[in-house]
Amino acid sequence: MPISITLIGGPTALIEIDGFRLLTDPTFDAPGAYQLPHVTLEKTIGPAMKTDAIGPIDAVLLSHDQHSDNLDNSGREYLLKAKRALTTEAGAKRLGGHVEGLAPWATAHLKDRDGNTLTITATPARHGPAGIEPLSGDVIGFVVSSSRKDTSDVYVSGDTTWFDGVAEVARRFKCGVVMPFAGAAQTRGPFHLTMDTNDTIETARAFPNAMIVPVHTEGWAHFRQNGEDLRKTFDVLGFGTRLRLLEPGVPTVVEAP
């Protein structure tokens, strides 16, 4: 079955799959400066949709809760009102309420009235180079699997670079749609905190049967690369037909190549 994805901005996207509606890292605040404990982040583009235009959501998939480019004030309000919200175990403790924490490879399930089920598996993520974890905190990604055999698995990487954990996701799941959090985010130091073009190409190689649908490429000043950088790289290396860049606010049907 086809899967529809609507980019709302930054890492925030609406995934519609087999009648279920999922929202990734909710960020709905206006452009401006956002102060974190050790760095100030500048948001340059507002969301393409307001929260009341999104409609009902079955679950929010939050990769981590401590950075405003993945969960801002409006996003936090939205998440706490959502029917279900899944994130890291540490994030669930900080956010409280009904937020559910998952360790890597743990699962949660959504079921509709007709008995169709989505299995959501938390996946490993590393928000920067090896050794960054004490600074960046816990992060997870997600694989969304439908009980309908004709629907492809969807992998949402969360804020991560390419590392063995992403390769292990590819070994365990044959995903038809992969959503890498790209943009080569860089705040302090020479290293990037999310996937750059090389990482995204490695991810495409690891998932040879997947359409690559990047998010987290526009809207913040600390993103060092954008969708056009990915387009040029994918075209040069012969992966161009497998890259789908989303237009903000426009529902886009995505199928495995």
Side-chain angles (χ1 to χ4, degrees), residues 230-244:
L230 286 169
R231 169 58 65 198
K232 291 176 181 177
T233 302
F234 270 64
D235 285 347
V236 166
L237 297 178
F239 287 77
T241 58
R242 294 183 50 210
L243 181 69
R244 177 64 61 85

Side-chain angles (χ1 to χ4, degrees), residues 17-146:
I17 174 172
D18 290 350
F20 294 92
R21 308 177 84 245
L22 311 173
L23 191 78
T24 62
D25 292 13
T27 54
F28 295 107
D29 282 354
Y34 293 85
Q35 181 64 51
L36 298 182
H38 304 293
V39 67
T40 299
L41 303 181
E42 182 186 354
K43 187 174 187 177
T44 59
I45 302 174
M49 297 172 63
K50 295 182 179 180
T51 55
D52 56 3
I54 294 173
I57 294 293
D58 293 289
V60 173
L61 308 181
L62 175 65
S63 66
H64 62 302
D65 68 303
Q66 292 182 287
H67 300 151
S68 53
D69 57 331
N70 296 87
L71 182 69
D72 56 22
N73 292 329
S74 299
R76 185 183 300 265
E77 293 177 8
Y78 183 90
L79 176 142
L80 293 175
K81 294 177 182 178
K83 187 185 303 183
R84 293 185 71 177
L86 309 175
T87 191
T88 63
E89 292 181 303
K93 292 178 181 177
R94 282 188 291 267
L95 291 166
H98 68 302
V99 180
E100 303 167 50
L102 297 175
W105 311 122
T107 59
H109 303 277
L110 304 176
K111 184 174 291 187
D112 67 15
R113 294 178 180 178
D114 298 323
N116 297 315
T117 302
L118 288 186
T119 299
I120 300 173
T121 303
T123 58
R126 193 182 72 199
H127 200 354
I132 194 71
E133 294 86 351
L135 296 175
S136 64
D138 294 344
V139 184
I140 55 173
F142 304 90
V143 170
V144 180
S145 306
S146 174

